Structures are given as C-alpha cells and as structure tokens.
Amino acid sequence: MRWIALLVCLGVCFAVAALGARWTADEVTGWYRTLARPSIAPPNWVFGPVWTLLYAMMSFAAWRIWLAADSPMRTWGLALFLVQLALNLAWSWIFFRAHKLGAALAEVALLWVAIGIATLVFRQVSPVAAWLMAPYWGWVTFATALNSAFWRLNQG
C-alpha cells in the first residue's frame, strides 16, 4: 500500500504539472516572448528541470504525510497541500492563459502563504516532509519577485 500511495501522490502532482505545462507551452513561444524581460529572469530552459524536481519533491513530501499516523495535523496538512497545489495550477492559468500579470502576482503571493502554512504543518507531522517542501517555497519566493518584475515592466 505504501507504494500505491506514492504513485497517487506522484500522479496528482504531475497531473497538475502537465496541465500547467499545457497552458504554458504555447504562450512561451507566443505572448510571453513579447513581454519586456526583467534582468532576474532565468533562461526559459531552466523552468522545466526545476519544476520537475520540485514536483517530485512535493510528491514525496505529501507521501510522507500520507504515511504518518492518522491525526488532525496529518489531515490538515494534506488538505493544505491540495489547496496550495490548486493555487499553483491557478497561477499558470492566470499568468500564461489570461495574461493577467497583476492578478497573477496577487495569486502567487497567496500561493506563497499557502506553501508556508502547509510546510509548517508538515513540520509538525514529518520534519523530512517539511524539508522536502522548503526548496519549493524558496523557488516560489523567487517566482513572486519575478512575477512582480514582469508586472512592473509590462504595465499598460
């Protein structure tokens, strides 16, 4: 059963990744290319490998929580994980499909808070799971600054 739980966690996280990538891919070669690019923006090829690693680490973090003894904190942690995952997916739609840079900035700030709360709850259940979420939280910190820079440069 442990491995089935891992496959579910990987499946859910990478389904979100695939849908977000689907929304993003066409826009990267089209609309996104027309934006003024901030100096802090990494090359586009960086995003795929980084996000793949982060989704894998998130999957393992959720799996660690899933395997923990049943408790209110475990349930709360899994619920928060799903909330932040939904916010993660929503950002791709808002930024890349709707082209709403300001709304995406507000949304990514909310995502950052949700990841932080989920990570802190994870820490109570499994410190390893919290550490697995830390790089994701750090990357979204950078993504928030990057979204802000894109918004400032491309207003109007």
Side-chain angles (χ1 to χ4, degrees):
M1 272 316 250
R2 294 171 55 97
W3 300 113
I4 292 172
L6 177 58
L7 290 175
V8 169
C9 291
L10 287 164
V12 168
C13 286
F14 280 96
V16 166
L19 186 52
R22 182 171 180 224
W23 292 341
T24 302
D26 291 340
E27 301 297 332
V28 167
T29 58
W31 167 79
Y32 184 72
R33 188 187 302 177
T34 69
L35 296 176
R37 193 172 180 85
S39 60
I40 65 169
N44 291 343
W45 65 264
V46 168
F47 292 96
V50 168
W51 277 111
T52 300
L53 178 60
L54 293 174
Y55 279 113
M57 293 175 75
M58 290 164 41
S59 299
F60 280 98
W63 181 57
R64 298 280 309 192
I65 299 303
W66 185 329
L67 294 179
D70 193 25
S71 71
M73 289 299 273
R74 175 187 172 266
T75 302
W76 182 232
L78 290 172
L80 286 168
F81 183 82
L82 292 174
V83 166
Q84 70 77 28
L85 200 57
L87 288 168
N88 176 307
L89 181 59
W91 182 88
S92 296
W93 177 267
I94 296 165
F95 188 93
F96 283 103
R97 296 296 284 196
H99 306 167
K100 304 288 186 192
L101 303 179
L105 178 57
E107 199 278 350
V108 78
L110 194 63
L111 171 60
W112 185 86
V113 170
I115 295 166
I117 295 169
T119 301
L120 293 174
V121 170
F122 275 22
R123 185 170 169 242
Q124 300 301 312
V125 178
S126 167
V128 170
W131 280 110
L132 287 166
M133 292 288 285
Y136 172 45
W137 200 12
W139 181 258
V140 172
T141 301
F142 170 70
T144 303
L146 184 59
N147 190 150
S148 177
F150 268 107
W151 178 66
R152 281 192 317 272
L153 287 173
N154 293 280
Q155 288 186 72

Tab-separated table of all heavy atoms in Angstrom, residues 7-52:
chain	number	residue	atom	x	y	z
A	7	LEU	N	2.527	6.440	-5.663
A	7	LEU	CA	2.084	6.609	-7.050
A	7	LEU	C	0.927	7.603	-7.148
A	7	LEU	O	0.870	8.401	-8.091
A	7	LEU	CB	1.698	5.269	-7.659
A	7	LEU	CG	2.862	4.308	-7.916
A	7	LEU	CD1	2.332	2.958	-8.411
A	7	LEU	CD2	3.872	4.894	-8.894
A	8	VAL	N	0.035	7.583	-6.178
A	8	VAL	CA	-1.070	8.551	-6.161
A	8	VAL	C	-0.520	9.960	-5.998
A	8	VAL	O	-0.913	10.888	-6.717
A	8	VAL	CB	-2.091	8.209	-5.049
A	8	VAL	CG1	-3.082	9.349	-4.848
A	8	VAL	CG2	-2.827	6.914	-5.382
A	9	CYS	N	0.394	10.142	-5.050
A	9	CYS	CA	0.985	11.468	-4.827
A	9	CYS	C	1.714	11.961	-6.073
A	9	CYS	O	1.546	13.119	-6.492
A	9	CYS	CB	1.930	11.439	-3.632
A	9	CYS	SG	1.085	11.206	-2.048
A	10	LEU	N	2.517	11.087	-6.680
A	10	LEU	CA	3.207	11.457	-7.909
A	10	LEU	C	2.209	11.766	-9.026
A	10	LEU	O	2.373	12.747	-9.761
A	10	LEU	CB	4.157	10.336	-8.349
A	10	LEU	CG	5.432	10.174	-7.524
A	10	LEU	CD1	6.088	8.818	-7.805
A	10	LEU	CD2	6.406	11.308	-7.803
A	11	GLY	N	1.177	10.934	-9.136
A	11	GLY	CA	0.169	11.127	-10.183
A	11	GLY	C	-0.559	12.450	-10.054
A	11	GLY	O	-0.739	13.172	-11.043
A	12	VAL	N	-0.970	12.787	-8.840
A	12	VAL	CA	-1.691	14.043	-8.623
A	12	VAL	C	-0.781	15.238	-8.920
A	12	VAL	O	-1.159	16.163	-9.645
A	12	VAL	CB	-2.263	14.114	-7.185
A	12	VAL	CG1	-2.761	15.513	-6.854
A	12	VAL	CG2	-3.370	13.096	-7.010
A	13	CYS	N	0.423	15.217	-8.374
A	13	CYS	CA	1.341	16.349	-8.581
A	13	CYS	C	1.719	16.504	-10.047
A	13	CYS	O	1.717	17.621	-10.582
A	13	CYS	CB	2.591	16.183	-7.720
A	13	CYS	SG	2.288	16.501	-5.969
A	14	PHE	N	2.017	15.410	-10.708
A	14	PHE	CA	2.434	15.528	-12.100
A	14	PHE	C	1.259	15.741	-13.051
A	14	PHE	O	1.455	16.280	-14.151
A	14	PHE	CB	3.345	14.372	-12.499
A	14	PHE	CG	4.753	14.607	-12.027
A	14	PHE	CD1	5.204	14.051	-10.839
A	14	PHE	CD2	5.603	15.438	-12.738
A	14	PHE	CE1	6.488	14.308	-10.383
A	14	PHE	CE2	6.888	15.703	-12.296
A	14	PHE	CZ	7.332	15.137	-11.119
A	15	ALA	N	0.046	15.420	-12.639
A	15	ALA	CA	-1.129	15.806	-13.435
A	15	ALA	C	-1.280	17.322	-13.404
A	15	ALA	O	-1.560	17.956	-14.435
A	15	ALA	CB	-2.388	15.121	-12.897
A	16	VAL	N	-1.096	17.914	-12.236
A	16	VAL	CA	-1.122	19.377	-12.118
A	16	VAL	C	0.006	19.974	-12.960
A	16	VAL	O	-0.205	20.945	-13.698
A	16	VAL	CB	-1.026	19.813	-10.643
A	16	VAL	CG1	-0.720	21.299	-10.514
A	16	VAL	CG2	-2.322	19.470	-9.919
A	17	ALA	N	1.186	19.390	-12.871
A	17	ALA	CA	2.326	19.884	-13.658
A	17	ALA	C	2.021	19.811	-15.150
A	17	ALA	O	2.302	20.765	-15.896
A	17	ALA	CB	3.579	19.078	-13.330
A	18	ALA	N	1.448	18.719	-15.593
A	18	ALA	CA	1.161	18.544	-17.018
A	18	ALA	C	0.121	19.543	-17.505
A	18	ALA	O	0.258	20.121	-18.595
A	18	ALA	CB	0.701	17.112	-17.289
A	19	LEU	N	-0.913	19.750	-16.714
A	19	LEU	CA	-1.944	20.708	-17.117
A	19	LEU	C	-1.379	22.126	-17.150
A	19	LEU	O	-1.611	22.875	-18.107
A	19	LEU	CB	-3.149	20.620	-16.174
A	19	LEU	CG	-4.368	21.447	-16.547
A	19	LEU	CD1	-4.809	21.202	-17.994
A	19	LEU	CD2	-5.503	21.145	-15.574
A	20	GLY	N	-0.622	22.489	-16.134
A	20	GLY	CA	0.013	23.801	-16.117
A	20	GLY	C	0.964	23.976	-17.292
A	20	GLY	O	1.003	25.029	-17.931
A	21	ALA	N	1.729	22.936	-17.610
A	21	ALA	CA	2.655	22.997	-18.745
A	21	ALA	C	1.889	23.131	-20.062
A	21	ALA	O	2.333	23.851	-20.964
A	21	ALA	CB	3.536	21.756	-18.768
A	22	ARG	N	0.773	22.477	-20.142
A	22	ARG	CA	-0.046	22.575	-21.363
A	22	ARG	C	-0.528	24.013	-21.562
A	22	ARG	O	-0.515	24.534	-22.662
A	22	ARG	CB	-1.230	21.621	-21.267
A	22	ARG	CG	-2.087	21.615	-22.490
A	22	ARG	CD	-3.107	20.505	-22.447
A	22	ARG	NE	-3.905	20.560	-23.662
A	22	ARG	CZ	-5.197	20.433	-23.692
A	22	ARG	NH1	-5.865	20.204	-22.575
A	22	ARG	NH2	-5.855	20.499	-24.811
A	23	TRP	N	-0.957	24.642	-20.486
A	23	TRP	CA	-1.410	26.035	-20.561
A	23	TRP	C	-0.257	26.983	-20.878
A	23	TRP	O	-0.461	28.033	-21.478
A	23	TRP	CB	-2.057	26.463	-19.257
A	23	TRP	CG	-3.355	25.797	-18.960
A	23	TRP	CD1	-4.188	25.162	-19.837
A	23	TRP	CD2	-3.983	25.702	-17.686
A	23	TRP	NE1	-5.288	24.676	-19.198
A	23	TRP	CE2	-5.191	24.993	-17.857
A	23	TRP	CE3	-3.645	26.134	-16.416
A	23	TRP	CZ2	-6.064	24.728	-16.814
A	23	TRP	CZ3	-4.513	25.862	-15.369
A	23	TRP	CH2	-5.707	25.177	-15.575
A	24	THR	N	0.939	26.617	-20.459
A	24	THR	CA	2.096	27.486	-20.572
A	24	THR	C	2.820	27.360	-21.916
A	24	THR	O	3.263	28.359	-22.477
A	24	THR	CB	3.089	27.162	-19.424
A	24	THR	OG1	2.415	27.338	-18.176
A	24	THR	CG2	4.319	28.022	-19.466
A	25	ALA	N	2.952	26.162	-22.427
A	25	ALA	CA	3.830	25.879	-23.570
A	25	ALA	C	3.585	26.793	-24.764
A	25	ALA	O	4.531	27.398	-25.294
A	25	ALA	CB	3.708	24.418	-23.975
A	26	ASP	N	2.356	26.896	-25.221
A	26	ASP	CA	2.076	27.728	-26.395
A	26	ASP	C	2.355	29.196	-26.125
A	26	ASP	O	2.773	29.931	-27.026
A	26	ASP	CB	0.616	27.568	-26.835
A	26	ASP	CG	0.338	26.188	-27.417
A	26	ASP	OD1	1.312	25.512	-27.819
A	26	ASP	OD2	-0.831	25.791	-27.456
A	27	GLU	N	2.123	29.622	-24.898
A	27	GLU	CA	2.297	31.026	-24.551
A	27	GLU	C	3.772	31.429	-24.472
A	27	GLU	O	4.116	32.581	-24.721
A	27	GLU	CB	1.588	31.343	-23.236
A	27	GLU	CG	0.097	31.060	-23.256
A	27	GLU	CD	-0.674	31.906	-24.256
A	27	GLU	OE1	-0.244	33.031	-24.560
A	27	GLU	OE2	-1.710	31.432	-24.746
A	28	VAL	N	4.643	30.494	-24.128
A	28	VAL	CA	6.068	30.804	-24.016
A	28	VAL	C	6.631	31.210	-25.370
A	28	VAL	O	7.439	32.134	-25.458
A	28	VAL	CB	6.852	29.610	-23.416
A	28	VAL	CG1	8.348	29.788	-23.576
A	28	VAL	CG2	6.500	29.442	-21.944
A	29	THR	N	6.199	30.529	-26.420
A	29	THR	CA	6.702	30.860	-27.762
A	29	THR	C	5.901	31.979	-28.417
A	29	THR	O	6.298	32.479	-29.466
A	29	THR	CB	6.685	29.616	-28.667
A	29	THR	OG1	5.348	29.114	-28.734
A	29	THR	CG2	7.626	28.553	-28.144
A	30	GLY	N	4.806	32.375	-27.802
A	30	GLY	CA	3.976	33.443	-28.360
A	30	GLY	C	3.975	34.672	-27.476
A	30	GLY	O	4.934	35.450	-27.439
A	31	TRP	N	2.917	34.826	-26.709
A	31	TRP	CA	2.695	36.014	-25.883
A	31	TRP	C	3.869	36.321	-24.944
A	31	TRP	O	4.325	37.464	-24.856
A	31	TRP	CB	1.399	35.838	-25.077
A	31	TRP	CG	1.222	36.830	-23.990
A	31	TRP	CD1	0.792	38.115	-24.122
A	31	TRP	CD2	1.502	36.644	-22.599
A	31	TRP	NE1	0.770	38.736	-22.902
A	31	TRP	CE2	1.200	37.845	-21.941
A	31	TRP	CE3	1.965	35.575	-21.847
A	31	TRP	CZ2	1.353	37.999	-20.573
A	31	TRP	CZ3	2.114	35.722	-20.485
A	31	TRP	CH2	1.808	36.938	-19.865
A	32	TYR	N	4.363	35.335	-24.244
A	32	TYR	CA	5.425	35.532	-23.250
A	32	TYR	C	6.667	36.150	-23.892
A	32	TYR	O	7.347	36.970	-23.297
A	32	TYR	CB	5.758	34.189	-22.597
A	32	TYR	CG	6.776	34.228	-21.486
A	32	TYR	CD1	6.477	34.773	-20.248
A	32	TYR	CD2	8.048	33.688	-21.676
A	32	TYR	CE1	7.407	34.784	-19.220
A	32	TYR	CE2	8.985	33.692	-20.654
A	32	TYR	CZ	8.656	34.241	-19.437
A	32	TYR	OH	9.586	34.250	-18.422
A	33	ARG	N	6.949	35.757	-25.106
A	33	ARG	CA	8.113	36.269	-25.819
A	33	ARG	C	8.002	37.778	-26.088
A	33	ARG	O	8.998	38.460	-26.245
A	33	ARG	CB	8.295	35.526	-27.132
A	33	ARG	CG	9.605	35.887	-27.810
A	33	ARG	CD	9.757	35.308	-29.178
A	33	ARG	NE	9.667	33.855	-29.159
A	33	ARG	CZ	9.717	33.124	-30.256
A	33	ARG	NH1	9.833	33.699	-31.427
A	33	ARG	NH2	9.640	31.820	-30.178
A	34	THR	N	6.769	38.302	-26.123
A	34	THR	CA	6.565	39.723	-26.413
A	34	THR	C	6.750	40.609	-25.179
A	34	THR	O	6.790	41.830	-25.311
A	34	THR	CB	5.158	39.969	-26.989
A	34	THR	OG1	4.173	39.751	-25.967
A	34	THR	CG2	4.886	39.085	-28.203
A	35	LEU	N	6.841	40.001	-24.000
A	35	LEU	CA	6.969	40.775	-22.764
A	35	LEU	C	8.375	41.336	-22.600
A	35	LEU	O	9.361	40.704	-23.004
A	35	LEU	CB	6.646	39.900	-21.555
A	35	LEU	CG	5.231	39.362	-21.439
A	35	LEU	CD1	5.123	38.429	-20.235
A	35	LEU	CD2	4.223	40.480	-21.338
A	36	ALA	N	8.450	42.503	-21.977
A	36	ALA	CA	9.743	43.018	-21.539
A	36	ALA	C	10.244	42.082	-20.444
A	36	ALA	O	9.506	41.743	-19.519
A	36	ALA	CB	9.596	44.441	-21.012
A	37	ARG	N	11.485	41.633	-20.569
A	37	ARG	CA	12.034	40.601	-19.679
A	37	ARG	C	12.904	41.242	-18.596
A	37	ARG	O	13.868	41.939	-18.902
A	37	ARG	CB	12.850	39.645	-20.542
A	37	ARG	CG	13.226	38.372	-19.891
A	37	ARG	CD	13.854	37.436	-20.948
A	37	ARG	NE	14.233	36.195	-20.358
A	37	ARG	CZ	13.412	35.168	-20.199
A	37	ARG	NH1	12.182	35.254	-20.617
A	37	ARG	NH2	13.826	34.074	-19.637
A	38	PRO	N	12.595	40.970	-17.325
A	38	PRO	CA	13.433	41.513	-16.248
A	38	PRO	C	14.818	40.859	-16.242
A	38	PRO	O	14.982	39.725	-16.689
A	38	PRO	CB	12.664	41.171	-14.976
A	38	PRO	CG	11.600	40.231	-15.353
A	38	PRO	CD	11.465	40.208	-16.827
A	39	SER	N	15.767	41.569	-15.696
A	39	SER	CA	17.141	41.060	-15.663
A	39	SER	C	17.280	39.814	-14.793
A	39	SER	O	18.209	39.025	-14.985
A	39	SER	CB	18.100	42.148	-15.175
A	39	SER	OG	17.743	42.565	-13.870
A	40	ILE	N	16.370	39.621	-13.842
A	40	ILE	CA	16.460	38.445	-12.957
A	40	ILE	C	15.852	37.194	-13.583
A	40	ILE	O	15.935	36.115	-13.000
A	40	ILE	CB	15.803	38.706	-11.580
A	40	ILE	CG1	14.295	38.936	-11.709
A	40	ILE	CG2	16.510	39.830	-10.847
A	40	ILE	CD1	13.548	38.929	-10.393
A	41	ALA	N	15.249	37.317	-14.768
A	41	ALA	CA	14.597	36.160	-15.401
A	41	ALA	C	15.643	35.169	-15.903
A	41	ALA	O	16.519	35.532	-16.690
A	41	ALA	CB	13.714	36.625	-16.554
A	42	PRO	N	15.562	33.925	-15.451
A	42	PRO	CA	16.500	32.915	-15.963
A	42	PRO	C	16.109	32.534	-17.395
A	42	PRO	O	15.001	32.829	-17.841
A	42	PRO	CB	16.316	31.735	-15.009
A	42	PRO	CG	14.983	31.920	-14.395
A	42	PRO	CD	14.675	33.384	-14.429
A	43	PRO	N	16.993	31.854	-18.105
A	43	PRO	CA	16.622	31.365	-19.436
A	43	PRO	C	15.422	30.417	-19.333
A	43	PRO	O	15.256	29.718	-18.322
A	43	PRO	CB	17.862	30.608	-19.905
A	43	PRO	CG	18.956	30.943	-18.959
A	43	PRO	CD	18.336	31.485	-17.712
A	44	ASN	N	14.603	30.401	-20.361
A	44	ASN	CA	13.379	29.590	-20.330
A	44	ASN	C	13.644	28.106	-20.080
A	44	ASN	O	12.842	27.435	-19.439
A	44	ASN	CB	12.596	29.768	-21.626
A	44	ASN	CG	11.998	31.143	-21.746
A	44	ASN	OD1	11.888	31.881	-20.769
A	44	ASN	ND2	11.625	31.511	-22.954
A	45	TRP	N	14.777	27.591	-20.542
A	45	TRP	CA	15.050	26.162	-20.395
A	45	TRP	C	15.220	25.750	-18.930
A	45	TRP	O	15.107	24.570	-18.603
A	45	TRP	CB	16.282	25.745	-21.208
A	45	TRP	CG	17.571	26.356	-20.739
A	45	TRP	CD1	18.171	27.471	-21.226
A	45	TRP	CD2	18.410	25.882	-19.680
A	45	TRP	NE1	19.337	27.738	-20.535
A	45	TRP	CE2	19.506	26.768	-19.584
A	45	TRP	CE3	18.343	24.801	-18.812
A	45	TRP	CZ2	20.524	26.603	-18.653
A	45	TRP	CZ3	19.356	24.637	-17.872
A	45	TRP	CH2	20.426	25.529	-17.805
A	46	VAL	N	15.460	26.697	-18.034
A	46	VAL	CA	15.669	26.397	-16.610
A	46	VAL	C	14.372	25.908	-15.948
A	46	VAL	O	14.402	25.042	-15.067
A	46	VAL	CB	16.218	27.646	-15.874
A	46	VAL	CG1	16.178	27.475	-14.363
A	46	VAL	CG2	17.619	27.967	-16.353
A	47	PHE	N	13.246	26.442	-16.387
A	47	PHE	CA	11.989	26.186	-15.686
A	47	PHE	C	11.564	24.719	-15.703
A	47	PHE	O	11.105	24.197	-14.689
A	47	PHE	CB	10.883	27.092	-16.229
A	47	PHE	CG	11.112	28.534	-15.904
A	47	PHE	CD1	11.721	29.382	-16.824
A	47	PHE	CD2	10.762	29.047	-14.671
A	47	PHE	CE1	11.953	30.720	-16.522
A	47	PHE	CE2	10.991	30.379	-14.347
A	47	PHE	CZ	11.591	31.215	-15.285
A	48	GLY	N	11.698	24.043	-16.823
A	48	GLY	CA	11.278	22.635	-16.909
A	48	GLY	C	11.986	21.738	-15.911
A	48	GLY	O	11.333	21.045	-15.111
A	49	PRO	N	13.321	21.717	-15.910
A	49	PRO	CA	14.018	20.857	-14.944
A	49	PRO	C	13.761	21.250	-13.487
A	49	PRO	O	13.588	20.377	-12.627
A	49	PRO	CB	15.507	21.038	-15.299
A	49	PRO	CG	15.516	21.528	-16.700
A	49	PRO	CD	14.246	22.297	-16.888
A	50	VAL	N	13.712	22.547	-13.216
A	50	VAL	CA	13.476	22.978	-11.830
A	50	VAL	C	12.099	22.529	-11.371
A	50	VAL	O	11.952	21.937	-10.296
A	50	VAL	CB	13.646	24.511	-11.683
A	50	VAL	CG1	13.107	24.992	-10.334
A	50	VAL	CG2	15.099	24.907	-11.839
A	51	TRP	N	11.068	22.786	-12.179
A	51	TRP	CA	9.717	22.401	-11.782
A	51	TRP	C	9.567	20.888	-11.680
A	51	TRP	O	8.864	20.387	-10.792
A	51	TRP	CB	8.668	23.013	-12.700
A	51	TRP	CG	8.343	24.402	-12.289
A	51	TRP	CD1	8.632	25.559	-12.956
A	51	TRP	CD2	7.677	24.800	-11.078
A	51	TRP	NE1	8.195	26.644	-12.231
A	51	TRP	CE2	7.598	26.205	-11.076
A	51	TRP	CE3	7.146	24.109	-9.994
A	51	TRP	CZ2	7.012	26.930	-10.042
A	51	TRP	CZ3	6.563	24.827	-8.963
A	51	TRP	CH2	6.496	26.217	-8.991
A	52	THR	N	10.224	20.142	-12.548
A	52	THR	CA	10.161	18.674	-12.458
A	52	THR	C	10.701	18.201	-11.118
A	52	THR	O	10.075	17.375	-10.434
A	52	THR	CB	10.930	18.034	-13.628
A	52	THR	OG1	10.329	18.458	-14.858
A	52	THR	CG2	10.913	16.518	-13.540
